[in-house]
């Protein structure tokens, strides 16, 4: 099984993923950004604004998740924003074709709260403006996110509360 934690920067994906793996037996985080980092080196001559724009990223995420689950089983928690509906459909179709159940969850917070979290982040300070600039794209993705995912409003919740909610829904 895959629990895909979608949402924009500051929504709590990474922290929630870490908390969630402590609550779900045989679960592990698959950070699909590492696939993008690998491709940046390999596809440096093919410039894109986001590594998700490379078709091989989307295909390799599906292939890697499939291989990892075939090897160890359990649950993969993937904390990765996907704001392009076309890209999400491609990933979801690949996972469906591999017969991997996916629980697609969007961690949401108000724009004001997201901006506050991004601006107060002491780890990702270099990319602060880049992260803020993606709030419009996140809002534009909200209609399809609302149709195709479970939305959890994290505005007033801690990552532990969010992870506990997700774990309870996964084990039932």
């Amino acid at each position: 099984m895959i629990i895909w934690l979608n949402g924009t920067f500051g929504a709590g994906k990474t922290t929630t993923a870490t908390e969630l793996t402590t609550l779900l037996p045989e679960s592990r985080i698959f950070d699909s950004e590492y696939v993008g980092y690998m491709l940046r080196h390999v596809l440096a001559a093919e410039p894109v604004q986001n590594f998700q724009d490379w078709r091989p990223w989307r295909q390799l995420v599906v292939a890697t998740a499939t291989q990892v689950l075939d090897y160890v089983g359990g649950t993969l928690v993937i904390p990765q924003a996907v704001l392009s509906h076309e890209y999400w459909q491609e990933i979801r179709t690949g996972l469906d074709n591999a017969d991997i159940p996916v629980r697609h969850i969007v961690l949401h917070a108000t724009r004001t709260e997201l901006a506050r979290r991004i601006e107060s982040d002491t780890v990702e300070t270099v990319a602060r403006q880049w992260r803020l600039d993606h709030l419009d794209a996140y809002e534009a993705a909200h209609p399809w996110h609302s149709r195709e995912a479970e939305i959890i409003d994290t505005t007033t919740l801690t990552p532990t509360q969010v992870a506990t909610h997700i774990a309870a829904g996964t084990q039932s």
Side-chain angles (χ1 to χ4, degrees):
M1 168 178 222
I2 290 175
I3 299 174
W4 194 292
L5 299 178
N6 204 337
T8 196
F9 305 103
K13 297 180 304 294
T14 302
T15 308
T16 299
T18 301
E19 293 280 339
L20 187 57
T21 58
T22 68
L23 300 172
L24 293 177
E26 298 183 30
S27 65
R28 57 193 40 84
I29 295 173
F30 168 38
D31 188 343
S32 59
E33 287 197 15
Y34 286 105
V35 174
Y37 300 150
M38 175 197 63
L39 289 174
R40 280 187 182 146
H41 169 73
V42 175
L43 299 177
E46 303 293 326
V48 293
Q49 293 208 339
N50 182 322
F51 57 72
Q52 292 183 16
D53 295 334
W54 286 314
R55 185 172 30 93
W57 177 83
R58 301 184 299 276
Q59 294 173 344
L60 285 169
V61 165
V62 170
T64 304
T66 301
Q67 290 295 316
V68 169
L69 286 172
D70 284 347
Y71 188 67
V72 296
T75 300
L76 286 184
V77 179
I78 304 177
Q80 180 67 60
V82 178
L83 303 181
S84 164
H85 190 222
E86 176 186 346
Y87 296 173
W88 174 251
Q89 287 179 315
E90 185 177 338
I91 292 165
R92 183 64 190 249
T93 297
L95 295 170
D96 286 346
N97 289 342
D99 291 323
I100 299 172
V102 177
R103 185 168 177 210
H104 183 200
I105 299 169
V106 172
L107 303 184
H108 173 76
T110 64
R111 186 181 186 104
T112 302
E113 178 61 15
L114 291 168
R116 186 197 67 74
R117 291 177 187 177
I118 293 167
E119 289 168 351
S120 65
D121 187 340
T122 58
V123 176
E124 296 283 342
T125 57
V126 176
R128 182 173 288 145
Q129 189 57 51
W130 187 83
R131 295 168 81 202
L132 288 167
D133 290 344
H134 281 77
L135 293 177
D136 288 339
Y138 169 68
E139 288 178 350
H142 188 71
W144 74 263
H145 280 166
S146 295
R147 287 190 311 270
E148 299 185 24
E150 174 185 348
I151 307 292
I152 299 176
D153 190 333
T154 68
T155 303
T156 61
L157 300 176
T158 67
T160 301
Q161 290 170 316
V162 176
T164 300
H165 173 78
I166 293 168
T170 300
Q171 295 170 345
S172 58

